[in-house]
Amino acid sequence: MSSAPPNNDAETADYFRPRVMHVPAEKGVVKWMSGDVYSTLAPADSTGGILGFTDCWVPPGGGPVAHVHRSADESFYVISGSLEFLNGEETFVANAGDFVFVPRGTRHRFRNLTDEQVRMVAFFTPGGGEGLWLEGGDDPVPGEEPVFWPPERGMALGPLLVRKDIDMVILPEAADLGGPAD
């Protein structure tokens, strides 16, 4: 069986046009977000808005404040370590190898309650939510470590939250207002 396209242009499907996106790991856009490190390999503008994909490193005590995405679903795959997830008002632990799907409109957050850095990947469908750290996160500083933000630094992101592509509402827990989790 041949993999060459048919000779007749009328029969030539678009299947043979190169469209695959390949982004080597070191080519992601890296941002620091309140202690977390996010390397976005596929922002929405590179996928026609279909998805946003980010490789995440979450330090002990790290993770975002509780929030809701009104216009996108968010999915996570834990590569190493364990994270506590908020699901509305309940929590559960996701371990290495676990997949978590958060439908839009669901209050959630993840938090690293362990002493080890956690690695996971995150997907927005449709893409756009990653714009929060791509535009509001800090650029890495060589030789330094990311730091947890005080509440006012996170609150300064307010204008980004109302953008159509991000469309996020912060619904914090009491612990979200005091710094990294213990």
Side-chain angles (χ1 to χ4, degrees), residues 5-18:
N7 290 329
N8 180 338
D9 284 340
E11 295 176 19
T12 303
D14 201 23
Y15 308 135
F16 297 95
R17 183 169 59 91

Side-chain angles (χ1 to χ4, degrees), residues 49-74:
I50 294 172
L51 70 87
F53 176 88
T54 300
D55 195 356
C56 310
W57 291 268
V58 184
V65 299
H67 60 278
V68 170
H69 302 284
R70 293 185 293 198
S71 302
D73 302 317
E74 192 171 16

Side-chain angles (χ1 to χ4, degrees), residues 29-33 36-40 133-140:
V29 177
V30 178
K31 292 291 186 169
W32 291 351
M33 192 79 172
D36 296 356
V37 177
Y38 298 150
S39 176
T40 300
W133 49 84
L134 288 173
E135 295 182 43
D138 296 327
D139 290 325

Side-chain angles (χ1 to χ4, degrees), residues 81-156:
S82 298
L83 292 168
E84 178 189 72
F85 276 83
L86 177 67
N87 176 19
E89 289 293 327
E90 300 177 0
T91 61
F92 64 90
V93 174
N95 298 301
D98 289 358
F99 174 78
V100 176
F101 173 73
V102 180
R104 65 192 74 190
T106 304
R107 181 175 180 244
H108 67 286
R109 58 104 177 118
F110 55 84
R111 184 166 293 139
N112 182 352
L113 299 179
T114 74
D115 293 331
E116 302 291 325
Q117 180 171 274
V118 174
R119 184 170 178 209
M120 71 172 173
V121 292
F123 302 80
F124 284 102
T125 50
E130 70 283 354
L132 182 63
W133 49 84
L134 288 173
E135 295 182 43
D138 296 327
D139 290 325
V141 178
E144 293 187 20
E145 294 290 322
V147 296
F148 290 100
W149 294 347
E152 57 274 7
R153 172 64 173 91
M155 298 310 285

